[in-house]
Amino acid sequence: MSDGDARVRRAEALVRDLLRRRLVAAAIDPEPLERYVECRAGAPKPIGDGSEVAVATWRHWSDVEERSSGGDDELAGWRIHRLADPPCDATLADDLAVGAAALAVELPADARLAQVTHLTVGPGRRLARVEWHRYHDGIRVAGDQLVVYVHPETKQAVQCLRRWRALRLSTGPLPPLAAEPRFENDPE
């Protein structure tokens, strides 16, 4: 092995160690490191009386899918394909799950926390599910909800589903019915 090859390997090892320590500091299991980052060192280049090795790094993130609702461009949700990575059997406390979910999305003013549940989505893979419902003038708007899934170890949101439709509200009294509704068994 040449001195240049050894420098390249040493530079890559230094960068991998730095990135591994950053993941550990963020309470993320760094192994295998290639799940999160990729490193590639270039050839040593002379500078002054020494040399340097540039190491290119980039993150490996799972694909993210974004969804829009109906014919408009309103965001309806997003999902990270590697939902429960890294594997984790832990359960996140409800208040921490709500806090992490609220940091990941913009909560509408008319949202009320409905429930926090904990799901097993595969062997050794759990997620916290935080759900808000929509209320208008104290009445729940049927079907409108915001759901955020949170990884219990990384405390990162991994999926968001939102249905918050434009409300069409009447501004005055409802018009009277044309005729009293009748049913088959009503006496005449």
Side-chain angles (χ1 to χ4, degrees), residues 87-105:
C88 174
D89 267 334
T91 299
L92 189 59
D94 289 0
D95 59 332
L96 294 175
V98 171
L103 285 174
V105 297

Side-chain angles (χ1 to χ4, degrees), residues 98-168:
V98 171
L103 285 174
V105 297
E106 186 176 329
L107 283 177
D110 51 355
R112 287 191 196 167
L113 181 63
Q115 64 181 345
V116 179
T117 55
H118 305 276
L119 310 167
T120 299
V121 295
R125 296 175 187 272
R126 293 185 55 83
L127 294 173
R129 181 182 184 275
V130 183
E131 181 176 345
W132 287 270
H133 292 164
R134 183 179 193 180
Y135 283 80
H136 179 78
D137 287 339
I139 300 170
R140 179 160 181 233
V141 178
D144 282 12
Q145 64 184 9
L146 174 63
V147 178
V148 179
Y149 292 86
V150 177
H151 188 281
E153 186 175 294
T154 65
K155 297 175 185 66
Q156 298 295 312
V158 295
Q159 183 171 2
C160 169
L161 303 166
R162 177 185 169 123
R163 181 174 186 191
W164 227 261
R165 300 165 291 178
L167 293 177
R168 297 184 316 190

Side-chain angles (χ1 to χ4, degrees), residues 3-98:
D3 186 45
D5 291 340
R7 296 265 342 256
V8 166
R9 285 197 174 94
R10 190 172 67 222
E12 282 184 348
L14 180 130
V15 171
R16 287 177 196 276
D17 185 54
L18 171 70
L19 296 171
R20 186 175 283 112
R21 282 186 276 127
R22 285 185 176 180
L23 288 168
V24 168
I28 299 171
D29 179 10
E31 300 305 330
L33 185 64
E34 292 73 24
R35 178 188 312 165
Y36 304 104
V37 294
E38 187 75 27
C39 301
R40 187 167 300 139
K45 294 184 181 175
I47 57 161
D49 61 349
S51 66
E52 73 177 7
V53 175
V55 180
T57 63
W58 58 95
R59 293 180 180 174
H60 276 286
W61 296 108
S62 180
D63 291 340
V64 176
E65 183 179 280
E66 178 267 344
R67 297 182 200 145
S68 296
S69 60
D72 58 25
D73 286 334
E74 184 178 340
L75 178 66
W78 51 266
R79 175 173 70 108
I80 298 173
H81 287 277
R82 289 168 43 186
L83 284 179
D85 273 345
C88 174
D89 267 334
T91 299
L92 189 59
D94 289 0
D95 59 332
L96 294 175
V98 171

